[in-house]
Amino acid sequence: MAVALVKERYQSKVGEVVIGATAAEGGTRTSVVKVGGDSTLPFLHFEGKVENRAAIALEVTDVPPAWSDTVKGQYGDVINDPVAWAKKCVEEYNADMIYLKLIGANPEGENRSPEECAKVVKDVLAAVGVPLIVAGCEDPEKDNEVLAAVAEATSGENLLIGIAEQDNYKSITAAAMVHKHNLIARSPLDINICKQLNILISEMGLPLNRIVIDPMIGGLGYGIEYAYSIMERARLGSLANDKMLSMPMICTVGYEANRAKEANASAEEFPGWGDLNDRAILWEALTAAGLLQVGASILLMRNPAAVKLVQQNIADLMEMNA
Amino acid sequence: MIIIGERINGMFKDIGDALRNKDAKPLQHWALKQEEGGAHYLDVNSGPAVPKEERPEAYEWMVKIIQEVSNLPLCLDSTNYDAIEAGLKHLKRPGMINSVPAERDKIERVFPMAVQYNASLIGLTMDKVGIPKDAENRIVFAMELVAAADEFGLPTDELYIDPLILPCNVAQEHAPEVLEAIRMVKTLSNPAPKTVLGLSNVSQKSPDRHLINRTYLAMAMAAGLDAAIMDANDDDLVDVAATGQILLNKSIYADSYLKVFRQR
């Protein structure tokens, strides 16, 4: 008896978001990144179109970050210079995008002004040709000022800016609309809030194809399964034509994976866990690999050795299985 | 829940007059208004306003002028299959045929037509003798229609079984039988056929029509109803359809779910 391949027919697909703009489109990027657009579950090439490869953005901070030596050691001196750091990420580690996190804006830290922050963004834009993702310091009030200044100073570059949240989305949405950038909409592991936030943002007039969902993942061993099931549900929703869940998803893999004890504790401290370097790489790579299976479109990563593994994983998964 | 707007029907005076005068405006008005209300399909029925021999031409005209203003798919509603075919030829996107009873000569005419024009098809659980009273006999007809889908190559989930609801003031005992029939239809094949009702029939000539309609809609949705030909501008009724989707976990909840349900 012949085996008939069972193929699901989906009504709709994930929306496609374009990040970055070339000179022809009013920006200065040498390439743009397209994410989303899939008309099937992740990597099921045989029953739909996997339109765009998942993109990896490497994280760069405006002031040196308090990361572990296992990660920082791989970057060396450039960690003190966002411009050189971004260049290294692109030239040496083949980052698809730079994720510039403006932690220097933090009022309890260096408290840099919005203008200073915008200048760092401009400097990084001048140094690399890939599209930029720019996020603030997680102080809502300060971020509203900083991102408004960044959005204005980079008008035309079609950045992906964040973070919009349910109780603080209006000014950043307005900034994205006026200066034509894309927006990250973050919800606290809650699909209902995720959907409602997208509705609220779109009601302000930002088109749906300029929104990216940040489901606020948990890292491996620390709640990743909650994010996993929520992302799967969102993907199924988008394939069933739920327009308010049809945005590509972005995952803060580097941040979540590297705050796990397992990515930081030495083998002397926990002999049963084995070598720290290998473990830290795998903790971040496996967090990313798991979330790729439920439709992560943009992975925000830190550890270059983990990035290399995930790049290979994505390349393998993009091979046709039809 | 698929809402098929019922309003473009020659039984309504404004549409009947418009058909006699070839006046596009009332049809286009109701196309837009029903779309705004939450309709996913627009039912198109000339009613008795057009003489039989002129119906093919009338359906062609209706289809064309409605598609000038609306992108919604159309549900061509007639017992005159030449009229339906004339309309199908001009559809810009796959539509729906309303309807075919479980009678062999009609099955042979309509199922191949549905397949040819990539249309969904509403099948009625009745034959020449009429509408059965109990759920079991409705299902006998539903099975014939499902078998016909298989025979003529129509995907079973493109077949909408209509178990035929009757007015509750004169045929009260039918209402629970129809609910049972909806439940049973969902077990007939895999993928299951879809189910549809001409909802407004349940309240014919009763007071409080709106209340009866929306109460029955909620009950029928719980039994597995997929679609209803109904008043897409009865806001309370559309709210029930939207809320039912949420409570059956068919749409993901968001605070603005009533509004999202109406967005196209």
Side-chain angles (χ1 to χ4, degrees), chain A residues 27-77:
Chain A
T28 62
R29 304 301 79 206
T30 53
S31 60
V32 300
V33 168
K34 290 181 183 177
V35 289
D38 293 5
S39 57
T40 177
L41 290 175
F43 311 109
L44 299 193
H45 304 271
F46 63 89
E47 63 178 25
K49 192 147 188 246
V50 183
E51 189 72 31
N52 293 300
R53 186 172 60 84
I56 297 177
L58 275 176
E59 184 168 346
V60 169
T61 57
D62 54 343
V63 297
W67 294 357
S68 70
D69 293 336
T70 34
V71 178
K72 281 209 285 195
Q74 297 178 66
Y75 288 107
D77 286 346

Side-chain angles (χ1 to χ4, degrees), chain A residues 9 191-192 195-196 199 203 233 242 244-245, chain B residues 157-158 249 252-256 259-260 263:
Chain A
R9 286 182 299 150
I191 191 113
N192 307 123
K195 185 168 172 179
Q196 184 67 17
I199 296 167
E203 281 177 349
R233 198 148 177 238
D242 189 335
M244 293 300 162
L245 285 172
Chain B
D157 52 354
E158 297 290 338
N249 194 24
I252 292 174
Y253 177 84
D255 290 346
S256 307
K259 198 187 240 175
V260 172
Q263 279 167 0

